[in-house]
Amino acid sequence: MLKIETLRGFAAVARCGNLSDAAATLGRTPSAVSMMLKQLETHLGEPLFETDRKNRLTALGRFVLDHAERELHQFDTTVRAIEGYAKAVYGSVRIATVPSIAGTIMPQVMARHFGRFDEVDIELRDIDSNSILHEVLRNRVDIGIATIGQNRAGLHSQLLMTDAFGVVCAPSHPLAKEDGPIEWETLMTERIIANSLSESIDAIPSRDLHEASRLKAHNVASILGMVRANIGISLLPKMTILAFGSDALVFRPLADQTARRELHILRRADATLSPAARMLEERIRDTVASIMQDM
Amino acid sequence: MLKIETLRGFAAVARCGNLSDAAATLGRTPSAVSMMLKQLETHLGEPLFETDRKNRLTALGRFVLDHAERELHQFDTTVRAIEGYAKAVYGSVRIATVPSIAGTIMPQVMARHFGRFDEVDIELRDIDSNSILHEVLRNRVDIGIATIGQNRAGLHSQLLMTDAFGVVCAPSHPLAKEDGPIEWETLMTERIIANSLSESIDAIPSRDLHEASRLKAHNVASILGMVRANIGISLLPKMTILAFGSDALVFRPLADQTARRELHILRRADATLSPAARMLEERIRDTVASIMQDM
DNA sequence: CCTTAGTTTCAGTTTTTCTGAAATACCATT
DNA sequence: AATGGTATTTCAGAAAAACTGAAACTAAGG
C-alpha cells in the first residue's frame, strides 16, 4: 500500500537527481532508498526514472512527483496544525468575564500570554455573571469568570479569587477624610446606594444596611456617578473600583474581611478544554496569584 | 512521527464511536487499534477522547478529526490519481498523424479504445509529415505517425505500416474502363499530376514519369479536384483515397508493389511515453494489424 | 452488586524496514 | 575498446515496528 514516506523518498530522489544525496537528506542509507523506490515502481508497475542514475524522470515520474509534492506539503501542513494545536501554539479560546476582571486582570494575562502564543486567537467578552453562566453552558464560550449563585448543573467551577468589598465615596464626603478600614457601625448613618454586587454580602450588618437603603442601581457607571455627585456612598469590590474608578472617588476597605465577592472560573463539566484554552486558564491563575501576592 | 495510517485509525474510531467496530472496519484487532491510538495521544501529549469508551471527543480530538478527514480524503485522491495514471486509466495523450491516417485508422483506434479508458484525454491533430516531426521533437505531441525522410536525430521511429500507391482517375478516363493492377508502361502516355507523396516513390519508371510531369500539387483536395475534372491522373496511396476519395473517382492499384508509402510511428528518443500513451500506441498497432489482415 | 460489553496490557510473533558489504552497472576518459 | 571511479542494486542479517490472542481491567446498565 502506498505510504507517505515512500512519496517523500521518491520526491527527495527526484529533487536531488541522485540517490545518494537523497539518502543523505532523508537520513537513510542509499540502499534503503533504493529498495523503497523499487518497491514503489513495482507497486505502480512502471519505472519512474529513465535510467538508473536517477536524473531523468519518465512521464509517470513527473506526474508522481507533481502529485507527491503537493501531497507532502499538504500533509506536513496538517501535521503542523495538529501538533501546534496540541501544544497550544495554535488554537482559539473564547472567554467571558465580568467587566471588572476584563478591565483589570485580563490585560495583565494578555501581556504575559503574548509573544509566546501569538498564533492563539483569543476572544474576550465582558458581560454580567448570569449571562456568563448561560454562555458557558451553551458552549458559546470556553472559559467564564463570574460570581456564581447556586445554578451550577453541568458546570465545572473553581474559586479563582475573592475581592474584598470596600466603601466608595466622593472626596468631599466625611469618610474620605480618614484612612484605614471601616467598621459596619460607621456606615449605619450613611446613605447607601445598593447594587447587585453589594446585595450578595452575607454579613448581618450589611443586610440591615441594604434593607434600609432607598436607592439601588445596577450599572456601575451610574452608581459611581451618583457617588461622585455625593448622593450617597456605595459598597463595591476593589477590582471594580480599580477598573472603573477615577481620581474623583475615594475607596476605603471594610474592616470585615469576610465581605468578599467570590469569582469562579467556569467551564462545561462535560467537555475538555482545548490545549490553548487550558494554557490560557493556567495563565489566568498564575496572573491572579502573582497579583494577590503584590497586594 | 505522525503517519497517515494513524490518522486513518483515529478517524475510524472517532466515526464509529467505539474501538471494536473501528477495528473491524480497519481489518485489525481492537488491541492493535488501541495501541495505535495510545501512541497518537502520547505523541500529541493530550487525550483525544473524553472517556475510554471512545464516544466523545475532546476539543483536540475534534480538531484532529477535522484535519485528519480532510487529509485522508486528499491523500486517497492523490493515490488514486497516481495509480490510475500508472495503469493508464487516467492521463492524456497528444497525437499527430498525417491526414489520411487521421481519417481512416484513428477512428477505428478510438472505437476500440473507448469504453475501457474513458478517462484518458486524447488530443488528435492531423498535419503534414514534416510538421509532425517537429512537433514530436519539440515535445508538443507524444506520438506522431508520419512518413519520415532521414531527419531522425533525437527521434525514436518504428515502421507502423506501408500503404501501396495506386492510380486515381476520373470514371470517364480510359484507365477506368479496365480493372486490376497497372504496369508503369501503361502510364507513360498519361498526363500525371505529381504530388509530394508520389514524388517519394523510388522506382525508376516513377522518377521518369515525375520528371516529365508538368503539373504538381500539394493539397490532396485540389489534386482530387483536378483528377475529377479529368485534367490528368495521379498517384496516391490507397489510404489517402479511402480517406478523401469519393464515388466520382476510380482507384486502381499499381502492379509494382514496391511503390509504397512508409508510415512510421514516432516519439522522442529521450523520453518514455506515459502509460496512457503507451497503451494508445499499442492499440494503434493492434488496429493496424487487424486492418492489414482484413485486406 | 453483578454482568456484560468494551478497552487496555502484556508477551510473543510476524512483518516491515534498515544496514553494511559485496556485486554490479554506468559514464567519462583515455 | 579498456579502465577507473562513482553510483546503484542486491543480499543476508539486524533492528524496529506493528500485530495478535489471551488475560486483566473498567465502566455502564440492570
Side-chain angles (χ1 to χ4, degrees), chain B residues 61-121:
Chain B
R62 280 191 296 277
F63 183 87
V64 174
L65 178 60
D66 185 45
H67 284 254
E69 289 195 322
R70 250 199 284 289
E71 185 59 42
L72 288 169
H73 178 260
Q74 173 63 34
F75 180 74
D76 292 346
T77 303
T78 299
V79 170
R80 259 200 308 281
I82 291 177
E83 292 180 345
Y85 186 94
K87 291 195 186 69
V89 175
Y90 303 110
S92 75
V93 191
R94 300 158 304 171
I95 174 165
T97 77
V98 292
S100 59
I101 295 288
T104 54
I105 309 280
M106 290 314 294
Q108 301 196 44
V109 171
M110 296 306 177
R112 290 174 171 230
H113 196 74
F114 279 136
R116 269 194 286 172
F117 300 96
D118 278 349
E119 303 294 330
V120 177
D121 281 342

Side-chain angles (χ1 to χ4, degrees), chain A residues 43 46 50 83 272 278, chain B residues 43 46 50 83 272 278:
Chain A
H43 176 81
E46 299 283 337
E50 292 286 359
E83 292 180 345
T272 321
R278 214 155 50 236
Chain B
H43 176 81
E46 298 283 335
E50 293 285 357
E83 292 180 345
T272 321
R278 217 158 43 240

Side-chain angles (χ1 to χ4, degrees), chain B:
Chain B
M1 199 197 33
L2 212 42
K3 282 198 291 293
I4 206 100
E5 285 312 299
T6 307
L7 293 182
R8 197 184 301 282
F10 165 68
V13 176
R15 278 269 150 269
C16 293
N18 74 82
L19 199 143
S20 334
D21 292 359
T25 70
L26 293 169
R28 297 275 114 88
T29 58
S31 98
V33 180
S34 171
M35 284 166 133
M36 202 193 61
L37 221 55
K38 194 179 116 187
Q39 181 182 271
L40 177 58
E41 289 184 333
T42 309
H43 176 81
L44 296 178
E46 298 283 335
L48 292 159
F49 293 94
E50 293 285 357
T51 74
D52 48 2
R53 301 293 170 105
K54 277 67 173 104
N55 45 9
R56 250 192 17 255
L57 292 165
T58 60
L60 175 63
R62 280 191 296 277
F63 183 87
V64 174
L65 178 60
D66 185 45
H67 284 254
E69 289 195 322
R70 250 199 284 289
E71 185 59 42
L72 288 169
H73 178 260
Q74 173 63 34
F75 180 74
D76 292 346
T77 303
T78 299
V79 170
R80 259 200 308 281
I82 291 177
E83 292 180 345
Y85 186 94
K87 291 195 186 69
V89 175
Y90 303 110
S92 75
V93 191
R94 300 158 304 171
I95 174 165
T97 77
V98 292
S100 59
I101 295 288
T104 54
I105 309 280
M106 290 314 294
Q108 301 196 44
V109 171
M110 296 306 177
R112 290 174 171 230
H113 196 74
F114 279 136
R116 269 194 286 172
F117 300 96
D118 278 349
E119 303 294 330
V120 177
D121 281 342
I122 296 175
E123 184 192 322
L124 174 63
R125 283 193 291 155
D126 59 315
I127 46 180
D128 67 282
S129 284
N130 225 10
S131 305
I132 290 173
L133 247 67
H134 282 100
E135 292 295 275
V136 171
L137 281 170
R138 279 183 193 163
N139 203 19
R140 293 171 43 80
V141 141
D142 301 303
I143 300 174
I145 299 178
T147 303
I148 55 168
Q150 33 273 32
N151 180 5
R152 56 172 69 180
L155 272 186
H156 174 103
S157 79
Q158 204 177 352
L159 185 64
L160 177 65
M161 61 179 291
T162 60
D163 190 3
F165 277 96
V167 173
V168 219
C169 56
S172 59
H173 193 277
L175 284 173
K177 303 286 176 274
E178 287 172 52
D179 228 8
I182 298 181
E183 300 291 340
W184 289 119
E185 298 94 66
T186 320
L187 300 178
M188 291 306 180
T189 56
E190 297 294 335
R191 185 156 45 211
I192 305 286
I193 302 168
N195 62 70
S196 40
L197 296 176
S198 63
E199 274 186 335
S200 70
I201 302 172
D202 282 336
I204 308 288
S206 173
R207 295 266 181 89
D208 295 344
L209 278 174
H210 278 82
E211 227 154 84
S213 165
R214 316 293 293 272
L215 204 53
K216 179 175 168 186
H218 287 275
N219 183 286
V220 176
S222 68
I223 295 167
L224 296 182
M226 290 191 275
V227 170
R228 205 175 286 118
N230 232 328
I231 290 167
I233 64 168
S234 193
L235 291 166
L236 281 171
K238 189 172 184 187
M239 282 292 172
T240 304
I241 300 307
L242 288 176
F244 302 103
S246 68
D247 293 343
L249 288 169
V250 172
F251 180 83
R252 285 184 62 192
L254 280 173
D256 180 2
Q257 282 294 308
T258 66
R260 296 181 151 269
R261 178 188 197 188
E262 292 192 335
L263 287 162
H264 290 255
I265 193 159
L266 308 172
R267 61 168 185 269
R268 276 174 69 105
D270 60 355
T272 321
L273 289 178
S274 76
R278 217 158 43 240
M279 189 100 260
L280 188 65
E281 183 183 327
E282 217 171 275
R283 187 101 327 140
I284 292 170
R285 289 186 202 288
D286 290 354
T287 309
V288 167
S290 90
I291 287 174
M292 285 311 182
Q293 209 166 27
D294 293 352
M295 278 167 64

Side-chain angles (χ1 to χ4, degrees), chain A residues 231-248:
Chain A
I231 291 166
I233 64 168
S234 191
L235 291 166
L236 280 171
K238 190 172 185 189
M239 281 291 171
T240 304
I241 300 306
L242 288 176
F244 302 103
S246 66
D247 293 343

Side-chain angles (χ1 to χ4, degrees), chain A residues 106-132:
Chain A
M106 290 313 294
Q108 301 196 41
V109 171
M110 295 309 176
R112 290 175 171 229
H113 196 74
F114 280 135
R116 268 195 287 173
F117 300 96
D118 278 348
E119 303 295 328
V120 177
D121 280 342
I122 297 175
E123 184 193 321
L124 173 62
R125 283 194 290 157
D126 59 314
I127 45 179
D128 68 283
S129 284
N130 226 11
S131 305
I132 290 172

